[in-house]
Amino acid sequence: MQEKTKVASISVLSNTVLTVGKVVIGLISGSVSILSEGIHSGIDLMAAIIALFAVRESDKPADARHTYGHGKIENVSGTVEALLIFVAAIMIINEAIHKLTEGVNVEKIGWGLLIMGFSATANLIVSTLLMRVAKRTDSVALEADALHLRTDVYTSAGVFLGLLLMKVTGWTIFDPIVAIFVALLIIKTAYDLTKEAFMPLVDVSIEPAEYQIIIEVLDKYSGQFVEFHKLRTRRSGSERHIDLHLVVPKYQSVLDVHELCDQIELEIKEKLPRTNILIHTEPCSDSSSKCLACDNIQAGCNRSLEDKTVLQKN
């Protein structure tokens, strides 16, 4: 929790500095591409603040009103961030088209080159840090913030190139063209982020690789139960929720079944941290072709009869 909050706070700080710097230099120079980058960083700042709030709230334990925890707050924040990016892209395209029709007058290109170079470098460092922590903690909010900043690296580099071409050639037409290119990259990022953040809100299953891990654990203990079915999974922020039906020998003791379920749950949680598991057990049918061998069932039956005898004597 402290690590997630720390990197989210770093993102807020870096985006604040970059937003102010880009907007000021964009207004002074009259460059729509620099100003568009300022708007982009402003959106990134809002996203970073939302991400900071989300990681603080999502790791709170379950309570009476949120019995499954607060994990989906991260997915909500990621979806909101994606919508904000779409808005920023529309604003940039609108301003760029206006500059194409009305003409462009760009001054102080050197300052623009300086802020764009600094922006690309700073966002590369911060986005790499955010993504590393996001992957380690399965944080959707931090991953969304990292994707924002990674896009900012590419767009800042694009604006840097556009300004450099203007300085060399004197053709100011490069400014709105680069701004439109920036906006298209932003829209692509927003689309990818929307899919990543929104799908868990409709209880999408976990990744196939993670699903396979569950199957492998169940296969490891297959000799101790008859079969399993109705395996369901879903994501909630950085948490996973798993439930399944486990068919066990008809006369197996409750204690044995309970210990088996504990073993399965423990091993899954070791391989997939931040996982909540619910196992519903069912007795097998004597007529089922998948039932365990008769000697195993009989062994369970004998243990059950011994338990009953002890209870009757007491």
Side-chain angles (χ1 to χ4, degrees), residues 286-297:
D286 290 337
S287 61
S288 173
S289 59
K290 295 182 180 180
C291 210
L292 290 178
C294 292
D295 56 340
N296 290 337
I297 296 177

Side-chain angles (χ1 to χ4, degrees), residues 138-285:
D138 285 331
S139 173
V140 177
L142 290 183
E143 184 176 356
D145 203 13
L147 288 173
H148 284 176
L149 297 187
R150 186 57 56 85
T151 302
D152 215 21
V153 173
Y154 303 138
T155 56
S156 294
V159 172
F160 182 91
L161 178 61
L163 292 173
L164 187 61
L165 288 172
M166 279 190 289
K167 189 173 182 64
V168 172
T169 65
W171 296 350
T172 57
I173 192 67
F174 281 117
D175 188 52
I177 291 176
V178 169
I180 293 174
F181 174 73
V182 168
L184 294 177
L185 283 178
I186 293 173
I187 290 174
K188 174 61 168 60
T189 299
Y191 174 74
D192 293 339
L193 179 56
T194 301
K195 290 195 301 181
E196 175 77 18
F198 180 75
M199 293 309 294
L201 294 177
V202 291
D203 290 338
V204 68
S205 297
I206 62 176
E207 295 297 323
E210 296 177 337
Y211 189 90
Q212 185 59 36
I213 289 174
I214 301 171
I215 299 299
E216 290 172 358
V217 172
L218 290 169
D219 286 344
K220 178 179 177 180
Y221 293 93
S222 60
Q224 300 181 48
F225 61 85
V226 179
E227 64 170 347
F228 68 89
H229 55 268
K230 293 186 178 179
L231 173 58
R232 301 186 303 175
T233 66
R234 65 182 177 89
R235 290 295 299 264
S236 177
S238 62
E239 295 184 352
R240 305 170 186 84
H241 293 273
I242 302 167
D243 62 81
L244 63 105
H245 289 208
L246 194 71
V247 181
V248 296
K250 188 173 185 178
Y251 297 108
Q252 192 168 355
S253 71
V254 174
L255 178 60
D256 289 341
V257 173
H258 177 72
E259 289 179 349
L260 173 61
C261 292
D262 280 350
Q263 290 173 354
I264 293 173
E265 291 177 11
L266 180 61
E267 187 154 344
I268 292 176
K269 288 180 179 179
E270 286 177 350
K271 297 178 181 296
L272 297 174
R274 295 174 294 279
T275 298
N276 301 286
I277 308 171
L278 175 63
I279 300 178
H280 170 75
T281 57
E282 301 174 355
C284 76
S285 170

Side-chain angles (χ1 to χ4, degrees), residues 19-212:
T19 299
V20 173
K22 290 177 182 179
V23 169
V24 170
I25 293 177
L27 292 174
I28 292 175
S29 66
S31 169
V32 66
S33 60
I34 298 177
L35 197 57
S36 70
E37 270 295 284
I39 295 173
H40 186 190
S41 290
I43 297 297
D44 284 344
L45 175 59
M46 294 175 64
I49 293 172
I50 293 172
L52 177 59
F53 169 78
V55 296
R56 284 178 175 175
E57 294 296 315
S58 64
D59 278 351
K60 287 183 177 179
D63 54 38
R65 286 181 57 83
H66 307 89
T67 54
Y68 288 94
H70 301 76
K72 286 192 176 181
I73 289 177
E74 291 203 26
N75 299 101
V76 174
S77 74
T79 303
V80 171
E81 290 176 38
L83 294 176
L84 289 175
I85 298 176
F86 276 121
V87 171
I90 293 172
M91 293 173 62
I92 292 171
I93 291 174
N94 181 66
E95 183 64 19
I97 292 175
H98 175 73
K99 291 290 185 179
L100 280 172
T101 56
E102 298 295 326
V104 185
N105 183 25
V106 180
E107 301 175 354
K108 301 185 184 299
I109 293 179
W111 282 102
L113 290 170
L114 179 64
I115 190 64
M116 288 301 107
F118 175 75
S119 174
T121 303
N123 281 325
L124 179 61
I125 295 171
V126 177
S127 65
T128 301
L129 178 61
L130 282 168
M131 187 61 75
R132 185 182 301 128
V133 176
K135 294 299 184 183
R136 187 162 56 243
T137 60
D138 285 331
S139 173
V140 177
L142 290 183
E143 184 176 356
D145 203 13
L147 288 173
H148 284 176
L149 297 187
R150 186 57 56 85
T151 302
D152 215 21
V153 173
Y154 303 138
T155 56
S156 294
V159 172
F160 182 91
L161 178 61
L163 292 173
L164 187 61
L165 288 172
M166 279 190 289
K167 189 173 182 64
V168 172
T169 65
W171 296 350
T172 57
I173 192 67
F174 281 117
D175 188 52
I177 291 176
V178 169
I180 293 174
F181 174 73
V182 168
L184 294 177
L185 283 178
I186 293 173
I187 290 174
K188 174 61 168 60
T189 299
Y191 174 74
D192 293 339
L193 179 56
T194 301
K195 290 195 301 181
E196 175 77 18
F198 180 75
M199 293 309 294
L201 294 177
V202 291
D203 290 338
V204 68
S205 297
I206 62 176
E207 295 297 323
E210 296 177 337
Y211 189 90
Q212 185 59 36

Side-chain angles (χ1 to χ4, degrees), residues 1-12 52 55 129-130:
M1 176 61 180
Q2 292 179 348
E3 184 181 27
K4 291 166 68 175
T5 303
K6 181 179 178 180
V7 296
S9 299
I10 292 173
S11 178
V12 171
L52 177 59
V55 296
L129 178 61
L130 282 168

